[in-house]
Amino acid sequence: MKILAIHNFHRKGSASGDDQVFKSETALLESHGNQVIKYTVSNDEFDNAGLIGKLSATFGMLWSSKNYRAVRQMIQKEKPDIVHIHTFFPLLSPSILYAAKRSGVKVVATLHDTRFVCPCSTSLRGTELCNECGDGKYFRMCKYGCFKNSRLQSFIVAGIFTYHRIRKSFYKQIDRYICLNENQIRLLTNIGFDKNKIIKKYNFVPDAEANLKAVKVEGLPERYVVFYGRIGEEKGIRILMKIWDEISDIPIVVMGGGPLENEFKQWAKQHDNVYFLGYTQHDKCLSIVKGGEFVVFPSIWYEGCSMVEIETESLGKGLIATDLGFSVEAIEDGVNGYKVALGDIIDFGKKIKGLWNNPQKCMCIGVNARKDYENKYMPEDNYQQLINIYRDTLGI
């Protein structure tokens, strides 16, 4: 099968889940003999542009004639069987949806976040969950500066999504939506998306356990808990800080970078049991996770299908995570981990201490986590699901 895969990458150095999924999914398709043509842009293009280029790109977020023409020309030249779109915002713009449909090609879109409900993609207003803009009244974003804490940028984004809401761009130009969890499906159907066009497919990660060994890093304790991922508000990093303000006898190793990195670094210096390694090369990071007891994941937003969580399970490690988004269906309490109510510092502390003090239970949960990975997140199974989605969309 010939697939045109389209994606708007985040900035260089980003470890964003949708970037990882695009790379791993296209590689998986190619490894099975499919021909994958890629059309991608990167947000670095915006950062590196001059003033005129930035203004042009900003207006292009509404409708990018450049990318519209490029996608149409690519379809005419390559004649793909299907177009698979991952992230289109901000630079590609919804114009690429029209380019594909007007070329007579079926369009599949993976929804890595809740952007069709919340133009900011996070379903957060500050640190509080918010899905009010599902009603299409996007200009309320201006009052709160929802997009990057800027009322001006919120106004621009609200205008873009209002225009495409009126045109029903996201309803009419996509033939099949791939959602990553039941929560996404519920949010979309609540605002009028056709449930018959929605299918759920989890992400996958390569089998990290297969050739990976735990490594002992100089300066780290013999036993430790792990947090790894983006050091940002939405990942619950401030929740993590509050939890460890109350825990003085359990070491935690934290790996990652992000907007709150400097704040976290200063906080970590005040805690003898917090080991902050900053950005850590992926293989080394997973080896350190493998050497830990379990992973803490106090996210405050709707995770789609968290790569951190399924990587953790692939390593045979349990999770203590927020009972929200993907984690709701991914974790069975006491089996492969524990779920904690959003922001419940006390219960997070209890669950962490309880599992830490019961090494046998910790090991049992890790074994079950590995089984869960094998049952739901293996590459080969994911490939068959994806090809079946393509075939079903094409009616073959």
Side-chain angles (χ1 to χ4, degrees):
M1 190 176 291
K2 183 183 279 192
I3 303 109
L4 173 56
I6 302 177
H7 182 57
N8 190 141
F9 280 100
H10 296 260
R11 287 167 177 82
K12 185 178 180 180
S14 169
S16 295
D18 52 348
D19 290 353
Q20 292 180 51
V21 171
F22 179 81
K23 292 175 183 177
S24 59
E25 205 164 86
T26 51
L28 183 68
L29 287 165
E30 289 172 331
S31 72
H32 284 77
N34 299 283
Q35 185 177 353
V36 181
I37 304 102
K38 300 169 190 172
Y39 183 77
T40 65
V41 298
S42 169
N43 288 343
D44 289 327
E45 295 175 22
F46 181 87
D47 295 340
N48 297 331
L51 178 59
I52 294 175
K54 282 185 167 65
L55 286 172
S56 176
T58 300
F59 285 111
M61 293 176 191
L62 175 67
W63 184 275
S64 175
S65 298
K66 170 189 169 183
N67 289 306
Y68 174 85
R69 288 193 303 269
V71 170
R72 290 214 68 172
Q73 289 169 4
M74 186 168 282
I75 291 172
Q76 290 168 7
K77 177 185 176 183
E78 299 289 348
K79 295 181 172 52
D81 297 303
I82 199 162
V83 172
H84 189 161
I85 295 171
H86 287 259
T87 298
F88 63 82
F89 192 82
L91 300 183
L92 287 170
S93 88
S95 65
I96 61 166
L97 304 175
Y98 288 87
K101 286 293 287 181
R102 289 173 181 175
S103 299
V105 186
K106 294 288 188 179
V107 177
V108 171
T110 296
L111 308 187
H112 294 278
D113 48 43
T114 58
R115 196 177 296 280
F116 288 171
V117 180
C118 165
C120 300
S121 82
T122 61
S123 286
L124 288 175
R125 181 188 294 169
T127 60
E128 300 295 324
L129 284 173
C130 174
N131 294 302
E132 287 188 31
C133 285
D135 63 7
K137 297 177 182 178
Y138 302 119
F139 285 100
R140 65 164 61 87
M141 293 168 56
C142 306
K143 177 180 178 181
Y144 303 102
C146 292
F147 193 81
K148 297 186 176 180
N149 295 315
S150 167
R151 291 184 177 182
L152 175 59
Q153 292 187 68
S154 296
F155 178 81
I156 293 170
V157 172
I160 291 168
F161 277 79
T162 298
Y163 171 77
H164 286 288
R165 178 90 172 208
I166 292 170
R167 294 196 66 177
K168 295 188 179 295
S169 300
F170 308 132
Y171 293 82
K172 292 183 176 181
Q173 305 303 316
I174 299 172
D175 298 291
R176 183 60 53 91
Y177 308 95
I178 299 176
C179 285
L180 305 180
N181 60 60
E182 294 293 338
N183 179 65
Q184 277 187 329
I185 295 173
R186 177 181 58 80
L187 290 172
L188 287 178
T189 53
N190 283 349
I191 61 171
F193 280 78
D194 184 354
K195 191 170 185 177
N196 294 321
K197 293 169 65 174
I198 300 173
I199 190 164
K200 183 174 76 172
K201 182 185 77 66
Y202 295 132
N203 293 330
F204 74 94
V205 294
D207 189 357
E209 172 85 352
N211 300 304
L212 189 72
K213 294 181 179 179
V215 297
K216 293 299 180 183
V217 176
E218 187 177 349
L220 296 186
E222 188 70 21
R223 293 183 71 211
Y224 54 85
V225 177
V226 177
F227 171 95
Y228 74 107
R230 189 168 187 263
I231 309 299
E233 190 80 67
E234 77 283 0
K235 295 298 182 180
I237 199 67
R238 286 202 171 100
I239 299 292
L240 188 77
M241 292 158 73
K242 290 178 181 178
I243 296 168
W244 253 263
D245 278 337
E246 305 299 323
I247 296 177
S248 60
D249 56 341
I250 299 176
I252 183 168
V253 175
V254 177
M255 295 174 282
L260 297 182
E261 187 172 350
N262 288 334
E263 178 183 335
F264 185 81
K265 188 183 298 183
Q266 293 305 312
W267 172 86
K269 288 178 180 178
Q270 302 169 27
H271 296 74
D272 293 337
N273 60 331
V274 178
Y275 299 82
F276 181 48
L277 305 185
Y279 170 76
T280 306
Q281 194 272 336
H282 190 243
D283 288 346
K284 181 179 179 182
C285 173
L286 294 186
S287 294
I288 292 171
V289 175
K290 177 70 177 173
E293 299 295 311
F294 53 88
V295 169
V296 179
F297 196 66
S299 178
I300 66 170
W301 73 329
Y302 299 125
E303 296 287 344
C305 181
S306 168
M307 304 299 277
V308 165
E309 291 185 82
I310 59 179
E311 275 182 345
T312 296
E313 289 209 327
S314 78
L315 294 168
K317 298 296 171 181
L319 288 148
I320 298 179
T322 306
D323 189 13
L324 189 68
F326 170 65
S327 298
V328 171
E329 59 200 80
I331 297 175
E332 186 177 352
D333 271 323
V335 177
N336 61 334
Y338 291 99
K339 292 178 284 192
V340 178
L342 176 63
D344 191 335
I345 308 299
I346 294 174
D347 198 33
F348 260 114
K350 287 180 179 177
K351 294 290 197 307
I352 291 164
K353 291 175 183 177
L355 194 54
W356 175 264
N357 292 324
N358 190 343
Q360 189 63 37
K361 181 67 173 178
C362 189
M363 186 179 298
C364 180
I365 280 178
V367 169
N368 291 335
R370 173 65 192 183
K371 290 178 182 177
D372 192 54
Y373 164 75
E374 292 173 352
N375 288 335
K376 296 191 294 192
Y377 311 117
M378 295 285 281
E380 290 305 309
D381 294 339
N382 206 279
Y383 172 74
Q384 288 302 323
Q385 292 176 54
L386 186 56
I387 285 297
N388 288 339
I389 290 170
Y390 290 163
R391 289 172 176 161
D392 185 56
T393 304
L394 292 170
I396 58 175

